[in-house]
Amino acid sequence: MAEQNEKDSVQTTSGSGEHREKDLSIMDYSKTYGGISKRFSNVANEKMETPKPVAIGRVLIGLMAMLLIWANFQPFVQATVDGTTESVNFLSGDGILVIFFALITSIIMVFKNARKWTLLTAILTLAVIMIDLVNTMVQIKNNANGDIVYSLGYGTIFLLIGAIVMVAGAAMILVTDLKNCLLYTSPSPRDGLLS
């Protein structure tokens, strides 16, 4: 009986030693060939943490959405007649569309599966502003005469800044997501060594 217990303890010890050696060899292998364990830990961190460019992009989009809403109520075009200035805000044009696209962009940026569309909605916001701006400039040029002096208001500048920065923030999010997607889904040449 004592001999049997001694054999069991010897087998257990030798088995655990072999197991330890296997574990060590796998760890050495992963360190030597491409840091595969490091890539897996990066994937896990990606699921838990928001990448810094995505966080910055979200902040930019949120701030620019507020700026765009505010800028819609500011003077877009000003007309001066005999020293009297009157202004028109962007809501009299396509301001509602700009507010709609800005809000949609700031809402969908929060959801990981939908945030790839933020660049599209941000570009639509900029496109609406640019189309209205070009049309306004053409009308100002056509209606120019000595009695009325037309000029663009400061709301126009803030609309352009807000839309351009929003596009930049959305581009940061999309580029970061694409990089992460390519990084974690494309096979490494060294991964073939494990198969």
Side-chain angles (χ1 to χ4, degrees):
M1 184 77 171
E3 288 177 13
Q4 183 66 28
N5 287 341
E6 194 176 321
K7 283 181 183 178
D8 289 345
S9 64
V10 169
Q11 285 176 353
T12 307
T13 308
S14 65
S16 61
E18 287 173 14
H19 186 63
R20 262 191 241 125
E21 285 177 20
K22 275 188 178 178
D23 285 347
L24 289 174
S25 65
I26 290 170
M27 288 173 64
D28 292 340
Y29 183 80
S30 65
K31 285 177 187 173
T32 307
Y33 296 104
I36 294 162
S37 60
K38 186 177 179 185
R39 285 179 54 210
F40 285 132
S41 67
N42 287 343
V43 173
N45 288 339
E46 164 61 13
K47 288 178 182 174
M48 295 173 63
E49 298 175 6
T50 303
K52 194 173 182 180
V54 172
I56 293 170
R58 285 178 175 174
V59 170
L60 289 176
I61 289 172
L63 291 174
M64 293 308 108
M66 290 188 286
L67 179 66
L68 286 170
I69 292 169
W70 173 80
N72 269 282
F73 296 94
Q74 307 313 310
F76 182 67
V77 179
Q78 295 176 327
T80 305
V81 183
D82 297 329
T84 305
T85 302
E86 291 188 13
S87 62
V88 177
N89 62 28
F90 197 60
L91 282 175
S92 59
D94 290 326
I96 296 296
L97 274 176
V98 169
I99 291 174
F100 174 75
F101 285 132
L103 288 175
I104 291 295
T105 305
S106 59
I107 290 169
I108 64 175
M109 72 173 179
V110 178
F111 302 103
K112 190 171 183 178
N113 293 332
R115 69 186 184 203
K116 59 189 169 193
W117 301 107
T118 54
L119 184 60
L120 176 64
T121 53
I123 289 172
L124 287 172
T125 306
L126 180 60
V128 169
I129 294 168
M130 291 301 295
I131 289 168
D132 273 24
L133 182 59
V134 169
N135 288 339
T136 303
M137 295 291 287
V138 169
Q139 288 177 5
I140 288 173
K141 189 176 180 181
N142 292 340
N143 296 328
N145 59 47
D147 297 335
I148 304 174
V149 177
Y150 293 99
S151 62
L152 296 174
Y154 63 88
T156 310
I157 296 166
F158 286 112
L159 282 167
L160 286 172
I161 291 171
I164 290 168
V165 175
M166 182 178 275
V167 168
M172 285 175 68
I173 291 173
L174 184 63
V175 167
T176 304
D177 284 348
L178 286 174
K179 278 183 181 177
N180 288 341
C181 182
L182 292 173
L183 179 67
Y184 298 135
T185 57
S186 64
S188 170
R190 294 169 179 166
D191 288 351
L193 296 171
L194 290 177
S195 57

